[in-house]
Amino acid sequence: MLVLVALTTFGWLTARRPLPEYSGEIQVEGLSSDVRVSRDAQGVPQIYADSAEDLFRAQGYVHAQDRFFEMDYRRHVTAGRLAELVGNNPDAIQADMVTRTFGWRHVAEEEFNLLDDTTRQYLQAYADGVNAYLKNRSPTETAVEYTVLDVSVEVNAPETWDPIDSLAWLKAMAWDLRGNYDDELDRALAYGTLNNDASRVAELFPAYSGSGNAPILDPAEVGLPQATQQTPATQTSSGTGGAYQSPHLTEALESAQRALDAVPVQIARGEGTGSNSWVVSGQYTESGKPLLANDPHLDLAAPGIWAQVGLHCNQVGPECPFDVSGFSFSGFPGVIIGHNADISWGLTNMGADVTDFFIERVRNDTYLRGADQWVEMEKETEVIRVDGGSPVDLEVRRTVHGPIVSTVMDEATMDAVRNSPTETGTELGQYEISLQWTALQPGRTADAVFEMNRAKTPADMKAAAAKFEVPSQNIVFATTDGHIGYQAPGKIPVRASVPGAVESDGAWPRPGWDPRYDWTGYVAPAQMPGVVDPKEGFIVAANQAVLPSGSGPFITRDWDYGYRSERIRTLISQRIAEGRKLTAADMSEFQLDQWSVFAETLVPVLTEVELPAGYDSDGQKLLADWDDYSMDPDSAAAAYFAAVWRNLLEITFNDELPQSMWPDGGSRWLAVIQGMLDNPNDAFWDDRSTVAVVESRDQVLTEALVSARQDLTVELGKDTSDWEWGTLHQLKLRHLVLGGPGIPTPLAAYMNPAPVKVGGGTSVVNATAWDAASGSFDVTSGPSMRMVVDLADLDASTWVVVTGTSAHPASAHYDDQLEAWATGETFPWPSSPEAVAAAQQDELTLTP
């Protein structure tokens, strides 16, 4: 017993040692005058300073107080040095190999020199604040994670923070929000799997227009010319010299996919990576001023991605222009989403096609350009250091398009491929895959962040957007003087329309040896779509198409299919049609909407299927009585429907597609199924594993219904009245490093917040996505925060994040917002000095 008490006491003291001071007075090196940090009941810091440099120096200090291990982990990932932090772990080494191949940190180093002088000063001030906090603190005084890691690896004092560490983080953000590269690889892989039938591949990627959902903008109000490039019809790939028919290309594509999957998720990945945002003009609101809502759907982990903060100059003016509040990333100064005294803005992923894979003909270390020109690759050796292991030498090779990604982790396999004969002869070399991506070129996104923080007018926001190069985001905004607007930013490649066999719009990997497929430039910022005060009186941007196909610049063909955006439009339009003026409470209500378009589409079809009376049809009876199609956490019908949807996708597609393409259940798959319902004999309905039988639609629907009943009997019990969607659909947050498989159960239980039952689902406004391909209903991504900004009274705005402000598990603010987030509640969002003072619980003064 004494030993147990001693161990418990030691653990408690160890966990609490890194907790920072929230009150009193602390001397901070580098400050020019006192800085005040006020915190409310949720521990959200509101920082007040006399100069911009002191403001960001204090933000760096506060971020390090609350979240330094998260920051340190991120910079190790983005620099390709994760194995130095976590030790001789194969996953970490592979992640480092891919990240070094990308060269994120090298790009960030080049980027620093492009930025405005003031931006560089802010980045340096932020770094100085981080380092002031680290000075004279041991790792165990900084974060409990270092104490745990010290058991298995050598933990040294953290390196000083550098502005490049902040810029490299932008590359990780851009990577996770990069757009359609998965679709591009999947098209090429499916082409071989589906017997080189391009029409069947096209069936798996329906045109956005087929969804019937409205784009973000009306082209009549945008005033842009017709699309700068047209999408050619889907054709076969004979013009590549038979590349798409080659098993060697398939091996290279699969190897590239494995390499890219090795990069740790920082923001989000896969189905559910998106967001809702909308803004409503004062003509439709109770206050007469605009309302703005935003809830980015990202990866959910512990700690959550966002660090709430207020950044206030004591005297706002040219020398100190900031009075901004919102959501920041620890490791980067400023506010990414939020509002200042004049304007509020929200972001959603635009999904622009900013990555292209090129099929390269490689012979030794040369690659083919044109008919017969062999060009030497750029080569360099990166040394990956491993704590507790031997260094790994990595040769990085690049073509004119970008780094070769297909040989990063499978060098032995690819050597065999390169040395084997091909259909066209060894004189043309072997296939490898290179990646061209806009974020691998230095840009000015950091400048854009500070310009958005200082913006006052729609023109200011448009100017900032012109520099927000990566990732490409939809920006919705509203001003306190009554304007609303939308602006598409981003660095969007222009691709020439090439007649011939291979589509040239970026939807498929393209022949790298043919210069006609090279990028020809970028869309000019003035040509990017935007609007101020549209006639409709509201704007919804939820990852759907920006404009109809053929209008404005070509951005991508692989949009989210717009079911969430259309539901939001419906909710707003219904209130307007009823003559009701909208309020901030209405915006919060809309964010929690759990109506499923999947159910509306499929339930009428599923209830018509004839099943045997009794056990097999018990679940189907739930659907017959389910009239609101709402994915409520206590709904038995929602649980059964989700199981049917999962099984329907598995039965229909898994027999013909590679495992990497098994349906995740997102909006594209609903569009695919919608297109198949009217064709009972579509080839995809047939189960190729039953050679003697050709299945039709109704047989597949029957099997999905019956198997779902059996599955939920095992998972939830025989009595359907006991079934609940929330029992299946839970958010199980994991710590970034110490919460996953292989971590001792007591430690993981301490680092991971307790699971919570939630409603919502895939392509639901309350977008708590799940991955049908995994077989699990657990939440994979969701609203990482929810905010509603009332432009009539900024202090009446509300916000919530998925966990809390602190990354210390021993802190009361580690997960103190989780329950509110799960139940749809939000917290007051004070921003004026008076409101901040009224909400204050703690005050810390940072002195020079």
Side-chain angles (χ1 to χ4, degrees), residues 12 14-22 39 61-71 133-134 137-147 302-304 735-736 750-753 803-816:
W12 185 82
T14 299
R16 294 190 61 81
R17 185 181 300 143
L19 294 183
E21 294 294 329
Y22 280 178
R39 293 185 186 256
Y61 188 92
V62 167
H63 273 170
Q65 273 189 314
D66 286 339
R67 291 172 170 248
F68 181 73
F69 182 80
E70 178 190 25
M71 296 164 61
Y133 182 75
L134 294 178
R137 280 186 170 83
S138 68
T140 58
E141 294 174 303
T142 307
V144 71
E145 289 89 341
Y146 294 117
T147 302
H735 183 268
L736 295 170
Y750 178 70
M751 303 300 293
N752 298 339
T803 53
T805 59
S806 176
H808 299 293
S811 169
H813 303 305
Y814 184 61
D815 60 359
D816 60 336

Side-chain angles (χ1 to χ4, degrees), residues 33-180:
S33 60
D34 286 355
V35 176
R36 184 168 59 88
V37 182
S38 173
R39 293 185 186 256
D40 62 12
Q42 285 72 50
V44 176
Q46 302 280 349
I47 305 173
Y48 293 84
D50 289 336
S51 71
E53 287 78 8
D54 278 355
L55 194 63
F56 295 118
R57 190 172 286 111
Q59 186 184 14
Y61 188 92
V62 167
H63 273 170
Q65 273 189 314
D66 286 339
R67 291 172 170 248
F68 181 73
F69 182 80
E70 178 190 25
M71 296 164 61
D72 199 22
Y73 168 76
R74 285 178 179 169
R75 69 166 165 179
H76 278 85
V77 169
T78 58
R81 297 175 56 196
L82 185 56
E84 293 183 33
L85 178 68
V86 302
N88 195 5
N89 179 297
D91 290 341
I93 295 171
Q94 290 177 351
D96 287 345
M97 293 171 71
V98 182
T99 306
R100 294 286 187 95
T101 298
F102 289 155
W104 285 349
R105 188 170 180 86
H106 296 314
V107 178
E109 289 168 349
E110 296 178 47
E111 198 161 276
F112 185 73
N113 297 319
L114 293 182
L115 300 174
D116 290 342
D117 289 344
T118 53
T119 299
R120 292 199 296 268
Q121 291 168 10
Y122 298 158
L123 288 165
Q124 186 61 61
Y126 179 88
D128 291 344
V130 175
N131 295 328
Y133 182 75
L134 294 178
K135 189 175 183 180
N136 299 324
R137 280 186 170 83
S138 68
T140 58
E141 294 174 303
T142 307
V144 71
E145 289 89 341
Y146 294 117
T147 302
V148 176
L149 289 173
D150 196 38
V151 173
S152 56
V153 301
E154 183 178 352
V155 174
N156 298 312
E159 297 175 9
T160 56
W161 194 263
D162 187 275
I164 307 304
D165 296 327
S166 296
L167 292 177
W169 163 240
L170 294 179
K171 302 303 169 188
M173 178 176 69
W175 176 249
D176 280 2
L177 302 175
R178 62 199 169 273
N180 78 330

